[in-house]
Amino acid sequence: MNNKHTLIVFQRGFISVKKSLCLFVLLFLVTIIPAHAVSKQDDIIIIVPHKKEPYLSIINSIQRDLSSQKNLNSRVFDLSFLRKNPRKHLNDKKLVISIGTKAIDFYLSSNFNSPFIISLTTKSALTAITSKTKTNLSSNRSFVGGVSLDQPSRRYAKLAKLIKPKITSIGVALGPISRFKKESIDKELKQIGAKVNIVNIAYKDNPVKKLRTLFQNNQLVVVFPDKAEFNRSLARWVISLSYKYQVPVISYSKKYADAGALISLYSSPTQIAKQTTEMAFSYLQHGFKPKLLLTPKYFDIRINQSVNQALEINLPEKTELLQRLNRVLP
């Protein structure tokens, strides 16, 4: 009898403990689910065309900076993944960062509702995307801002002045896209007191004929970036004529300087990432929206020392030249 009573008491106690445990688990889930939901809302999503360079460097830099804020969780998706089921990953997020022209095109074409930042594109490429997608970024409430790859023309002008302090004439080669910036380029370059001679080169033109005129009549030539295929076809003629006429070239990429331009002015992926993260923090912490595609705040230069010696330019060391360039710029 005592054993039977003991068993009944034990069973009742076990059931009571089981009920209490179930209640505890239920309360835990009720507590944790809203918190998890908020975490999902707080996600920062980074979109890239693919997870290779130069995007990999940008991803690593942005995520490293974001990790300094413990309440921010970031995830990276490439386009091959997002095209399968994008909406659940990109809607109702705290912030989406689209990096590169293809990622920006994808986001704008898909009509998502999350606030977004765009980065690593050019103004001309963005204009083409917004025209195609019929997007007006200035009136888009979700648009936070962006960081462009385009160096400001005044930066090229100041660099030209540092290379040749007594410069009186600058030649500029523009392509099918960059030609639309002719007025602003002309205005900025004239600020250093030099005459500016600009040639527009179309696909149907003979580039050698127009470029030869630039190199024959100017002390320095500046080449602005355009479409990739146009850039490649023009570069070999620019380098060849630079050697022939002993006229230095300012270009826009490290590879251009390595190929034979005197100096290149550009922003590295890490520098673009830094400015992009600063914009993200400014929005997340203060709600600030510049609503503009900003020019790069951080930049670098690459000097081809062989060309420097061959043309007897005698440029100072890179560190000193960068310091001077930063001093004369606002």
Side-chain angles (χ1 to χ4, degrees):
M1 186 73 177
N2 288 338
N3 289 341
K4 185 177 181 180
H5 181 265
T6 302
L7 180 61
I8 292 171
V9 170
F10 177 80
Q11 287 175 333
R12 287 177 178 174
F14 178 78
I15 292 170
S16 177
V17 170
K18 188 176 180 180
K19 286 182 178 179
S20 298
L21 182 60
C22 290
L23 182 60
F24 173 78
V25 171
L26 182 62
L27 287 172
F28 176 79
L29 289 174
V30 169
T31 304
I32 202 68
I33 286 174
H36 180 65
V38 171
S39 172
K40 288 292 184 183
Q41 291 294 325
D42 287 348
D43 279 340
I44 297 175
I45 304 301
I46 303 170
I47 310 175
V48 290
H50 52 74
K51 295 178 183 179
K52 299 176 183 177
E53 294 296 352
Y55 304 105
L56 192 58
S57 296
I58 295 179
I59 291 168
N60 292 338
S61 181
I62 290 177
Q63 288 195 304
R64 184 174 60 249
D65 291 341
L66 289 176
S67 66
S68 65
Q69 303 293 317
K70 294 181 180 179
N71 62 325
L72 295 178
N73 301 311
S74 64
R75 288 183 290 172
V76 180
F77 295 121
D78 61 29
L79 293 183
S80 61
F81 175 83
L82 287 174
R83 286 191 176 107
K84 297 174 184 176
N85 191 7
R87 198 151 296 279
K88 73 174 184 178
H89 297 293
L90 298 179
N91 264 342
D92 304 313
K93 300 301 176 183
K94 196 164 187 179
L95 184 65
V96 172
I97 302 175
S98 296
I99 300 173
T101 303
K102 290 182 179 179
I104 295 165
D105 189 1
F106 172 81
Y107 193 83
L108 293 181
S109 300
S110 304
N111 224 3
F112 298 109
N113 63 13
S114 301
F116 66 96
I117 284 173
I118 58 180
S119 183
L120 202 72
T121 188
T122 61
K123 291 180 181 178
S124 55
L126 183 61
T127 299
I129 294 171
T130 53
S131 176
K132 183 189 76 172
T133 58
K134 298 181 180 179
T135 304
N136 186 347
L137 287 177
S138 60
S139 62
N140 188 318
R141 295 178 64 184
S142 297
F143 180 52
V144 174
V147 181
S148 167
L149 277 169
D150 299 311
Q151 300 293 326
S153 301
R154 71 178 183 278
R155 198 169 283 166
Y156 284 100
K158 297 296 184 181
L159 182 56
K161 188 72 172 177
L162 289 173
I163 293 170
K164 284 185 170 289
K166 297 180 179 180
I167 191 168
T168 58
S169 63
I170 300 176
V172 177
L174 300 180
I177 292 178
S178 54
R179 67 187 178 90
F180 293 106
K181 298 186 287 186
K182 180 178 179 179
E183 287 187 16
S184 61
I185 290 172
D186 182 65
K187 180 181 178 182
E188 294 289 351
L189 293 183
K190 282 180 177 176
Q191 296 299 314
I192 61 172
K195 182 180 179 182
V196 179
N197 299 303
I198 299 177
V199 296
N200 296 323
I201 303 174
Y203 285 113
K204 63 180 181 180
D205 292 335
N206 179 348
V208 179
K209 184 177 180 180
K210 289 196 171 185
L211 287 171
R212 185 180 289 118
T213 302
L214 277 186
F215 282 97
Q216 286 175 331
N217 299 311
N218 295 284
Q219 297 170 289
L220 182 145
V221 170
V222 182
V223 183
F224 286 86
D226 209 275
K227 283 189 174 183
E229 62 271 22
F230 180 85
N231 294 337
R232 286 192 293 269
S233 65
L234 200 69
R236 63 191 180 106
W237 299 117
V238 168
I239 299 305
S240 175
L241 292 168
S242 173
Y243 274 96
K244 181 176 181 178
Y245 293 101
Q246 295 290 285
V247 173
V249 171
I250 298 178
S251 63
Y252 50 81
S253 74
K254 289 193 293 184
K255 289 182 178 180
Y256 222 129
D258 293 341
L262 169 67
I263 190 167
S264 286
L265 173 64
Y266 65 96
S267 294
S268 69
T270 304
Q271 289 172 325
I272 294 292
K274 182 179 180 182
Q275 189 174 353
T276 302
T277 311
E278 288 174 351
M279 184 179 290
F281 280 147
S282 181
Y283 168 71
L284 293 170
Q285 295 172 357
H286 309 293
F288 178 68
K289 294 182 178 182
K291 301 286 282 187
L292 296 169
L293 189 64
L294 303 179
T295 55
K297 178 166 48 168
Y298 308 105
F299 59 93
D300 203 349
I301 57 175
R302 191 175 189 93
I303 302 170
N304 187 316
Q305 293 296 349
S306 297
V307 177
N308 184 29
Q309 294 171 9
L311 299 183
E312 299 181 348
I313 303 294
N314 298 319
L315 286 175
E317 290 298 317
K318 172 182 171 177
T319 303
E320 184 182 346
L321 190 57
L322 268 174
Q323 288 175 346
R324 291 185 188 180
L325 189 55
N326 275 293
R327 279 201 300 269
V328 298
L329 285 169

